[in-house]
Amino acid sequence: MKVILFHPRGRAWAPKGRDIHAVACVMAPIGIASIGAVVRNAGHEVVMMDGALDFYCSNQEWAQRIYKEKPDFVGFSATTLGFLDAYDVCSKVKQLESSIKTVFGGVHVSWGKNKIIEDYPLIDYVIDGEGEYAFRDLLATQGKTPVPSVYSQSFPTFSTQTSYLQCEMDDLPFPAYDLVAGFPKRYQMPLFGYPKHPGAVIISSRGCVYRCTYCDRSVFHKSFRFNSPEYTFEQMKWLSKDFGVRHINFYDDLFTLNRERVAKLCALITEQKINMSFNCIVRVGHIDNELLKMLKKAGCWMVHVGIESGDQKLLDIHKAGVTIEQIKNDVTRVAAAGLWVKGLFMIGIPGENEESMIRTRKFAMTLPLKDANITAFTPFPGAPISQTIHELGTLDNDWSKMDCENVVFVSHEAQSKEVIERNRNAFIKEFYERKYMRRIYRTMMVQSPHSYWRLIKHAGSFLRYARSM
């Protein structure tokens, strides 16, 4: 059978040059690339299309492109932000040819399952959780019999498929990046978040053992599994040799949770002298000095640390087990090891008032951070906090706005959207306009020259964004 795998743009269409997201960070769709590799290995013809890469192509144009390929099945990836965009393309495809079967997977539909099937009738199948094996098995049965993890319009009782298919991590083929148009050079890492271009993403573990209130774990549920260091190292070598990739972003939620695995991976990289740098995300409490030395020696360039808030009361509620003192110690030790540190923060968390927002901002200025990601708290439907979110404040439940930049939730304590926006903008300006950061970005001219080239090339878009704050 012929299969189209489609990754939606995920945002409302905007005139060319008017949306900063089209140039600031565009990373290859690793989820559908992994599914594509498994489906292709099962003997099916696979075509991949990335709406985020051709950002200014309309949904009608995407539907026409899909229709012209004459597929039997079309698979759509679906984050909360991208779901309505994907469904719009799905609807237009069905208008052109109703016999094409449509399949949705990803975090949003893994949360919604039956509700999505019932409320969006042009979706034929929904995959709950990991998609590789479930999509392969759905194609094998052509949708005629129930498949674990698959919810369907075809069967009168939507809840008959209750078992959950987990993938054996090392048995998966490497993602089918050869099917991704323009990979890797047309894709961009976050500005000043890498020393060398081009880059790529690797997810070497799945799941998380913690349960922060704001984190949607609908796809991987309560599991935590990981690739062996040997598998991960071979994937890095493959990306380097076959695609010329020079930098890796590890998007694992808990990259350093299994210390032995990371230590072995660092040893393999160091011993075989692979010419790649990499970034990773770590949780406070899972970093030690010896491991930091190994990461640095192996080519680690930047470590992302989830800080979220500088208010201990809020951490106790939303990120249990993390203390302000631990954050200070771990961030300081990472920086002392010669690694760049990027702090991840949220503004507008339930229970946070303006005084708490200011406290978080002032706390951030005391840390040796070289970069920061300052997002608006967003209660995604599958996150634990969403079960009681209407008791905690006012929610604008428009999924297309849930990009962690739009303020969609206002807690009773914050009182207004304007308070959150004002404090987020103040945080961003104070953080980046300090003399300390000016010195950092002078250093970046040498350490991340490709970022400066992008900044100059798209200066108009970046200036419009800065003026809008």
Side-chain angles (χ1 to χ4, degrees), residues 287-348:
I287 314 168
D288 61 75
N289 290 335
E290 189 60 34
L291 185 60
L292 289 171
K293 290 178 183 177
M294 288 187 280
L295 287 168
K296 176 68 175 176
K297 189 176 181 180
C300 184
W301 192 70
M302 177 181 281
V303 171
H304 297 209
V305 180
I307 298 170
E308 321 311 346
S309 175
D311 188 319
Q312 187 61 57
K313 291 181 180 178
L314 292 174
L315 290 176
D316 292 341
I317 295 169
H318 299 289
K319 197 179 179 78
V322 173
T323 68
I324 296 294
E325 196 59 34
Q326 282 180 315
I327 293 171
K328 286 181 181 178
N329 290 339
D330 280 5
V331 170
T332 300
R333 286 193 293 113
V334 173
L339 299 169
W340 294 71
V341 191
K342 182 172 186 175
L344 311 179
F345 297 89
M346 284 192 294
I347 297 293

Side-chain angles (χ1 to χ4, degrees), residues 351-408:
E352 185 178 42
N353 57 26
E354 187 162 20
E355 183 182 341
S356 299
M357 296 176 198
I358 295 171
R359 186 177 298 120
T360 295
R361 183 167 85 237
K362 298 306 179 186
F363 176 59
M365 305 308 155
T366 70
L367 300 173
L369 302 173
K370 303 294 178 65
D371 201 357
N373 191 25
I374 304 153
T375 62
F377 167 77
T378 304
F380 293 108
I385 195 71
S386 290
Q387 296 176 21
T388 57
I389 198 67
H390 292 286
E391 301 169 16
L392 303 173
T394 304
L395 174 66
D396 178 1
N397 199 29
D398 182 345
W399 297 335
S400 67
K401 295 179 182 177
M402 292 188 176
D403 58 358
C404 297
E405 290 192 23
N406 286 299
V407 175
V408 296

Side-chain angles (χ1 to χ4, degrees), residues 47-297:
V47 175
M48 290 177 57
M49 298 182 181
D50 186 3
L53 192 63
D54 290 335
F55 195 87
Y56 299 108
C57 179
S58 71
N59 286 345
Q60 185 63 51
E61 290 176 283
W62 279 120
Q64 289 285 353
R65 292 186 192 185
I66 292 170
Y67 170 71
K68 287 178 182 178
E69 292 288 342
K70 303 298 181 186
D72 300 291
F73 280 76
V74 182
F76 296 85
S77 63
T79 60
T80 297
L81 177 63
F83 174 76
L84 294 176
D85 198 37
Y87 189 69
D88 188 45
V89 177
C90 169
S91 301
K92 289 174 169 54
V93 169
K94 283 288 194 179
Q95 290 170 7
L96 293 168
E97 180 52 70
S98 62
S99 67
I100 296 174
K101 297 299 181 183
T102 57
V103 188
F104 273 60
V107 64
H108 188 75
V109 299
S110 293
W111 154 73
K113 303 181 183 69
N114 291 339
K115 177 177 174 57
I116 295 294
I117 282 286
E118 292 167 355
D119 292 349
Y120 296 89
L122 296 179
I123 300 175
D124 295 305
Y125 305 96
V126 159
I127 293 178
D128 172 24
E130 299 173 47
E132 290 92 346
Y133 293 169
F135 201 112
R136 177 200 62 192
D137 294 350
L138 174 62
L139 294 175
T141 66
Q142 298 184 41
K144 295 177 181 178
T145 57
V147 173
S149 294
V150 177
Y151 292 75
S152 171
Q153 296 280 9
S154 303
F155 302 101
T157 54
F158 300 131
S159 59
T160 54
Q161 302 88 343
T162 54
S163 57
Y164 170 65
L165 283 175
Q166 285 188 344
C167 298
E168 293 295 331
M169 297 283 286
D170 276 10
D171 288 347
L172 291 172
F174 297 150
Y177 281 135
D178 57 299
L179 298 180
V180 180
F183 179 82
K185 291 187 177 181
R186 287 187 66 191
Y187 289 92
Q188 307 288 353
M189 297 285 110
L191 271 174
F192 301 109
Y194 60 97
K196 296 179 285 188
H197 179 75
V201 171
I202 289 178
I203 300 176
S204 68
S205 65
R206 296 183 175 185
C208 178
V209 299
Y210 295 99
R211 193 163 178 80
C212 300
T213 66
Y214 47 82
C215 186
D216 187 342
R217 299 197 303 172
S218 299
V219 171
F220 302 127
H221 299 270
K222 296 180 181 180
S223 68
F224 178 75
R225 290 157 296 126
F226 49 85
N227 288 116
S228 65
E230 292 80 9
Y231 178 101
T232 304
F233 180 66
E234 288 301 317
Q235 187 174 1
M236 293 177 74
K237 288 200 303 182
W238 168 72
L239 286 167
S240 175
K241 180 182 177 183
D242 287 19
F243 298 99
V245 169
R246 304 172 67 201
H247 181 78
I248 296 294
N249 265 8
F250 282 104
Y251 258 39
D252 308 40
D253 290 327
L254 293 174
F255 182 72
T256 58
L257 181 64
N258 186 295
R259 189 186 186 284
E260 182 181 355
R261 175 184 81 104
V262 178
K264 180 64 180 295
L265 175 62
C266 288
L268 288 170
I269 296 171
T270 303
E271 290 164 6
Q272 299 197 33
K273 295 181 172 60
I274 184 171
N275 184 29
M276 299 178 85
S277 55
F278 63 91
N279 295 353
C280 62
I281 305 170
V282 300
R283 182 181 169 99
V284 170
H286 291 287
I287 314 168
D288 61 75
N289 290 335
E290 189 60 34
L291 185 60
L292 289 171
K293 290 178 183 177
M294 288 187 280
L295 287 168
K296 176 68 175 176
K297 189 176 181 180

Side-chain angles (χ1 to χ4, degrees), residues 404-439:
C404 297
E405 290 192 23
N406 286 299
V407 175
V408 296
F409 173 77
V410 179
S411 68
H412 297 312
E413 295 81 5
Q415 298 184 339
S416 74
K417 179 179 177 180
E418 289 71 27
V419 168
I420 298 171
E421 290 177 335
R422 182 175 68 247
N423 279 277
R424 179 170 180 261
N425 291 342
F427 193 157
I428 294 170
K429 287 184 177 181
E430 185 174 346
F431 186 90
Y432 288 106
E433 290 179 1
R434 296 173 294 160
K435 289 182 180 179
Y436 171 80
M437 289 305 298
R438 291 175 193 153
R439 292 196 301 269

